[in-house]
Amino acid sequence: MSAVSLDLDPFAEEFLAAPYAHHEALREAGPVVLLAPIGCYGMARHAEVQAALRDWQTFVSSRGVGLADFQQEEPWRPPSLLLETDPPLHDRTRSLMNRIVSLGALREVAARWQAVADDMIARLVARGRFDGVEDLGAAFPLAVFPDLIGLRSAGREHLIPYATAVFNAFGPRNAVFERGMADAGPAMAWVAEACRRDQLLPGGWGMQVYEAADRGECTAGEAERLVRSFLSAGVDTTVNGIANLIHAFAMHPGQWQRLRQEPALLKRAIEEGLRWDSTVQTFFRTTGRETCVAGVTLPANAKVLLFLAAANRDPRRWENADQFDVGRQSSGHVGFGFGIHQCLGQMVARLEMEVLLRAMIPRVNSINLMGEPRRRINNTLHALASLPVEFRAATD
Ligand code: OVV
């Protein structure tokens, strides 16, 4: 069998602005589709997306996890030593990073992060109306994450513009990409500088990567690039993860009431937010060899777009897949990916959301949408530019 060809551009602004409207068509067209406008394959069903993520030998990452094939095109920046590598190099860098990004390390910061969250939420409740992106989605990660890495204070405003460029660069060189790149020059220069050993504070995760280099676990040059992964992947993802979760609750007031009544659902609510509105919508792989997916032959050297967010709403996998339901068992979602490349920072992201929801449950009676949210169009992220909301204070 050959893949069904669709005349659908998943990087058209109209698609990126409202992706869920198109995911059903992608899933229903077949297990593998040919996305004619961008000349690559796509998969949007949970079973096939998960299987492709599991099979890193066939669906390789070292040729880039964006549209560009690093075997044909020069990468726009030196490849990530985690995201854009295969074993054995990947396993060496990932093991080193796993020792730094550990539950034990997060346990040390959890109480402090809770205090920051309690204070931030109390202030937002006192204010009433605020912007869910700027004042919460961005404010919280920026208040905790750069300190965790050990970044200097000056220039942190470059982190989000840098990430915007990184995530746009996984797509084609369309207008979305060009807009993100147009003003990213200073951000790129700042990030390059911020990854150097002499810029990092002692005790932070950044310096710990260099200390691993001192022990011979990697070279100093590799350490610099691994620190860059923290800055690339750790900010804009959680900014929008938080904003999307607040948005989900604002659109589903009954779900917020349910969580308030049953705080034990907190962890489930977080996973459900990640499933229902996955910040990272897509990643590519490249076929290193010919392969067969659900009876469809894929040639070697093909780019395959994996629709993580569509897989997370596949009715073959989830009952009432389009419903946001905090009581649901959402584990098995691929919002953090799956397999050897599954999100390194997932515990960090979860902890950020956990301390925020823990702060909100006793203080916020209702979350009200106060205007039309504005989307921030990005080639990879489902992102918001603004989210006008109100936290009404709890009196109970
Ligand atoms: C998951 C992710 C996204 C963007 C960049 C990177 C990782 C990186 O390792 O640089």
Side-chain angles (χ1 to χ4, degrees):
M1 264 202 309
S2 58
V4 174
S5 179
L6 291 183
D7 183 26
L8 188 60
D9 177 0
F11 299 100
E13 294 191 38
E14 176 271 323
F15 186 108
L16 296 168
Y20 300 111
H22 296 290
H23 288 169
E24 187 183 3
L26 285 166
R27 283 187 305 259
E28 296 313 312
V32 186
V33 298
L34 188 61
L35 298 161
I38 57 168
C40 70
Y41 292 90
M43 301 182 198
R45 296 184 185 174
H46 188 275
E48 282 76 21
V49 167
Q50 191 179 48
L53 291 170
R54 178 187 281 119
D55 184 2
W56 58 265
Q57 281 123 322
T58 305
F59 296 94
V60 305
S61 289
S62 56
R63 289 166 70 170
V65 297
L67 180 59
D69 180 355
F70 292 176
Q71 219 160 75
Q72 312 288 331
E73 285 178 54
E74 192 71 23
W76 74 281
R77 61 172 197 163
S80 163
L81 295 172
L82 294 159
L83 182 74
E84 295 156 332
T85 59
D86 298 323
L89 171 59
H90 168 270
D91 296 355
R92 176 166 64 81
T93 52
R94 177 66 187 238
S95 311
L96 175 170
M97 295 293 268
N98 280 343
R99 286 192 282 275
I100 298 170
V101 184
S102 67
L103 271 179
L106 286 174
R107 234 175 273 127
E108 285 178 33
V109 301
R112 193 167 64 248
W113 286 18
Q114 187 64 65
V116 173
D118 289 345
D119 180 65
M120 191 172 285
I121 296 300
R123 286 167 191 272
L124 292 174
V125 170
R127 239 172 98 177
R129 280 184 70 152
F130 63 94
D131 187 89
V133 179
E134 187 181 333
D135 303 321
L136 181 54
F140 187 76
L142 288 174
V144 296
F145 187 75
D147 288 335
L148 180 71
I149 304 306
L151 299 182
R152 291 179 321 153
S153 306
R156 290 177 177 187
E157 69 278 6
H158 291 302
L159 286 166
I160 291 175
Y162 179 72
T164 295
V166 167
F167 283 98
N168 276 331
F170 295 122
R173 301 305 179 244
N174 55 10
V176 177
F177 169 86
E178 296 299 344
R179 279 202 300 272
M181 275 297 177
D183 39 35
M188 264 139 59
W190 183 84
V191 164
E193 179 78 5
C195 294
R196 292 163 46 104
R197 184 172 199 151
D198 61 7
Q199 299 295 309
L200 293 162
L201 301 175
W205 286 5
M207 188 60 87
Q208 288 178 39
V209 180
Y210 282 96
E211 286 159 2
D214 293 341
R215 293 191 299 270
E217 295 175 27
C218 66
T219 68
E222 287 171 335
E224 193 170 314
R225 209 169 323 158
L226 288 169
V227 173
R228 193 192 67 182
S229 284
F230 284 141
L231 308 193
S232 305
V235 183
D236 215 7
T237 47
T238 55
V239 166
N240 288 289
I242 292 165
N244 289 346
L245 185 61
I246 300 298
H247 188 207
F249 279 119
M251 289 186 289
H252 300 87
Q255 294 299 310
W256 179 246
Q257 293 318 318
R258 172 137 194 233
L259 179 59
R260 289 201 77 209
Q261 278 150 22
E262 294 177 67
L265 294 178
L266 187 137
K267 294 199 181 193
R268 281 196 182 196
I270 290 168
E271 295 315 304
E272 175 65 350
L274 292 161
R275 180 196 73 83
W276 188 75
D277 193 4
S278 306
T279 307
V280 176
Q281 291 267 304
T282 51
F283 268 128
F284 286 88
R285 292 291 189 262
T286 313
T287 53
R289 57 192 183 203
E290 186 184 286
T291 187
C292 188
V293 174
V296 178
T297 302
L298 296 184
N301 310 311
K303 279 283 171 179
V304 184
L305 183 54
L306 303 178
F307 289 88
L308 309 176
N312 284 341
R313 289 183 179 216
D314 182 355
R316 293 160 192 77
R317 173 66 179 75
W318 316 95
E319 255 175 64
N320 303 317
D322 285 326
Q323 257 169 45
F324 177 64
D325 173 4
V326 298
R328 180 199 296 276
Q329 178 57 265
S330 308
S331 60
H333 73 75
V334 291
F336 285 134
F338 185 77
I340 65 167
H341 289 279
Q342 191 176 45
C343 183
L344 168 68
Q346 59 185 285
M347 288 109 74
V348 184
R350 288 198 182 98
L351 181 61
E352 289 184 19
M353 295 196 266
E354 249 174 72
V355 295
L356 284 172
L357 289 183
R358 254 193 208 107
M360 286 166 60
I361 287 168
R363 294 177 177 86
V364 179
N365 179 63
S366 66
I367 304 170
N368 304 305
L369 213 48
M370 302 305 283
E372 265 309 295
R374 268 189 310 113
R375 300 230 68 95
R376 171 154 66 91
I377 303 299
N378 184 279
N379 279 334
T380 303
L381 303 177
H382 200 222
L384 287 163
S386 84
L387 177 66
V389 284
E390 173 195 42
F391 279 178
R392 200 156 302 165
T395 48
D396 47 321

